[in-house]
Amino acid sequence: MKVPFLNFAPVHNAIKLEIQNTFERVYDSNWYIMGKELSEFEEMYSEFNDTNFTIGVSNGLDALHLALIALGIGEGDEIIVPSNTYIATALAASFVGAIPVFVEPNIDTYNINPLNIEKAITSKTKAIMPVHLYGQACEMDEIMRIAKENNLFVIEDNAQAHGATFKGKMTGSWGDANGTSFYPGKNLGALGDGGAVTTNSDTIAKKIKMYRNYGSEIKYENKVIGHNMRLDELQAAFLKLKLNYINSWTDQRKELALLYNEQLVGINEIILPKIHPDSSHVFHLYVIRLEKREKLQKYLNDNGIGTLIHYPIPPHLQKAYAHLGYKKGDFPIAEEIANTSLSLPLWPGMSKDDLLSVTNCIKDFFETYS
Ligand SMILES: *Cc1c(COP(=O)(O)O)cnc(C)c1O
């Protein structure tokens, strides 16, 4: 049986009529940018995420960028980011002229290790950007303590963890200003690009609203040199609709992850996802690690099963960051994760049969090669 890496069909078929009605409503409203769909979505997302404010923006990268602008971070400042993150986190730092300072993750959770954060702080450090990688919440209490003691801002990258919690408190509600993404493949995905900043600060929310809209609060009056980084009415309306289902989709992700664990736990060569006792994990991705990663990926591919690697090249080894002067071996944990991790197929509505095809194929592989 062929199993793709990701399949939107079960979710999108189930809500197709509602989506079509939503499209018609927005279409007929003749209002497409900065209207009531956006403000209603922002209110709904704030409620979902337990934050005072949500500011819908163009995408996740712009959300992180706007958060840094609003906090006044700029030229020459240092921002601590995990060494194994998706490039966007580091890029946001670069966009404001700051320097991303990479810090190694915990090899069990793949999230930034608070013990390593303290060692990386210098007189230039202005902020910490934890990333709730693959859907698991970072150790936010320790991160907030370190930030407070050293007078640093915290900007959570919550692109992969809608609805995750640490000690019961939502990711995206801890930091000073937090970015999230509604890229179609994320747990809450638009039908195009989208993102949001979440914050509890009225002042920061106002700044972000201004910077996302040409630096303007009153039409044709421009206070600062702003951007066009708005979330449009159609995407906001689709997101509003999909937000009604997110908890049920998350439950399905968790159930599928449990089933993967059950099926794979007997294979000694595979490292299964580990969850910090105080974190919840919303399984944006189900990531295993193994030495024979290339061989298994090829075997699965030859048998019609799609997988991906998140991520094959850590930011410090990307050409884009060659000027920072890092080399292979500088961040061994990030490199180990890049070299051994494999993301297995997972989506809400994935059938048990699909999942068992994946795990049976993995079992066949180990019977053949061990
Ligand atoms: C997807 C993602 C982003 C960027 O989101 P876009 O909407 O694609 O710009 C940022 N950080 C992480 C960790 C992501 O997974």
Side-chain angles (χ1 to χ4, degrees):
M1 200 195 298
K2 273 190 178 298
V3 184
F5 176 70
L6 180 61
N7 181 8
F8 290 128
V11 155
H12 283 185
N13 289 341
I15 61 170
K16 190 167 178 174
L17 260 179
E18 283 185 287
I19 287 280
Q20 286 171 334
N21 291 338
T22 301
F23 171 79
E24 240 182 71
R25 182 181 76 234
V26 179
Y27 188 78
D28 291 342
S29 78
N30 292 309
W31 191 279
Y32 307 115
I33 302 276
M34 303 280 275
K36 93 178 204 311
E37 301 292 343
L38 177 62
S39 50
E40 283 175 13
F41 169 66
E42 290 175 335
E43 218 158 276
M44 246 179 109
Y45 193 81
S46 295
E47 180 129 332
F48 166 78
N49 202 54
D50 275 337
T51 45
N52 291 344
F53 303 96
T54 297
I55 304 96
V57 301
S58 33
N59 57 61
L61 174 57
D62 290 346
L64 296 170
H65 183 186
L66 285 167
L68 294 176
I69 293 175
L71 293 170
I73 293 168
E75 213 60 47
D77 293 339
E78 291 179 1
I79 304 184
I80 291 173
V81 303
S83 55
N84 60 323
T85 186
Y86 178 57
I87 192 86
T89 325
L91 290 177
S94 302
F95 285 166
V96 295
I99 300 150
V101 173
F102 301 113
V103 160
E104 290 269 68
N106 178 318
I107 189 64
D108 290 325
T109 63
Y110 312 132
N111 276 334
I112 194 163
N113 189 338
L115 295 173
N116 296 333
I117 294 177
E118 288 191 287
K119 292 180 225 156
I121 294 171
T122 73
S123 59
K124 291 184 178 167
T125 310
K126 286 282 156 59
I128 309 169
M129 292 178 85
V131 181
H132 308 293
L133 202 68
Y134 308 149
Q136 174 167 196
C138 292
E139 292 168 62
M140 287 313 297
D141 55 353
E142 269 301 285
I143 293 170
M144 297 310 293
R145 180 190 66 75
I146 296 166
K148 201 167 176 197
E149 277 181 21
N150 295 278
N151 210 8
L152 307 175
F153 292 118
V154 172
I155 302 103
E156 294 169 73
D157 180 339
N158 198 32
Q160 303 192 355
H162 308 132
T165 56
F166 185 80
K167 292 194 171 166
K169 182 171 159 61
M170 283 273 181
T171 57
S173 75
W174 294 76
D176 297 280
N178 313 298
T180 192
S181 164
F182 305 123
Y183 180 79
K186 298 286 156 79
N187 286 24
L188 178 64
L191 304 179
D193 274 314
V197 179
T198 52
T199 179
N200 288 318
S201 155
D202 179 38
T203 321
I204 293 170
K206 278 203 182 106
K207 271 194 186 161
I208 289 173
K209 281 186 177 171
M210 182 168 69
Y211 275 97
R212 82 170 163 188
N213 188 32
Y214 286 108
S216 170
E217 281 169 333
I218 299 166
K219 206 170 171 74
Y220 303 129
E221 281 182 30
N222 304 85
K223 278 196 179 162
V224 293
I225 299 187
H227 295 273
N228 177 354
M229 293 180 169
R230 300 175 300 223
L231 180 67
D232 66 68
E233 287 288 282
L234 262 180
Q235 295 308 334
F238 295 147
L239 286 165
K240 214 169 70 184
L241 167 62
K242 288 179 103 179
L243 192 53
N244 291 315
Y245 297 93
I246 186 71
N247 291 334
S248 124
W249 293 335
T250 300
D251 288 346
Q252 292 177 49
R253 287 176 182 277
K254 289 181 181 173
E255 277 168 32
L256 291 162
L258 277 180
L259 191 54
Y260 264 130
N261 287 345
E262 249 173 63
Q263 291 296 313
L264 299 176
V265 70
I267 304 173
N268 292 329
E269 290 179 67
I270 292 183
I271 300 168
L272 298 178
K274 294 195 185 92
I275 307 180
H276 186 283
D278 293 320
S279 300
S280 80
H281 196 319
V282 293
F283 287 97
H284 172 56
L285 296 168
Y286 185 88
V287 179
I288 59 171
R289 288 202 305 115
L290 72 165
E291 288 304 319
K292 295 193 182 96
R293 195 265 311 274
E294 307 312 320
K295 264 192 170 170
L296 175 61
Q297 186 173 36
K298 181 173 184 312
Y299 187 85
L300 289 170
N301 186 54
D302 291 346
N303 284 280
I305 293 169
T307 57
L308 285 176
I309 295 166
H310 297 92
Y311 297 91
I313 307 172
H316 72 281
L317 298 177
Q318 295 283 0
K319 277 196 192 129
Y321 282 119
H323 62 276
L324 294 179
Y326 291 114
K327 56 183 189 312
K328 240 185 197 161
D330 283 346
F331 298 99
I333 300 178
E335 291 170 32
E336 173 75 8
I337 294 167
N339 292 334
T340 56
S341 62
L342 188 66
S343 305
L344 302 181
L346 180 75
W347 63 85
M350 182 188 193
S351 71
K352 190 172 173 183
D353 281 350
D354 274 346
L355 190 145
L356 294 179
S357 303
V358 179
T359 53
N360 287 336
C361 193
I362 294 173
K363 288 174 190 171
D364 290 345
F365 169 84
F366 280 103
E367 268 163 30
T368 317
Y369 288 102
S370 55

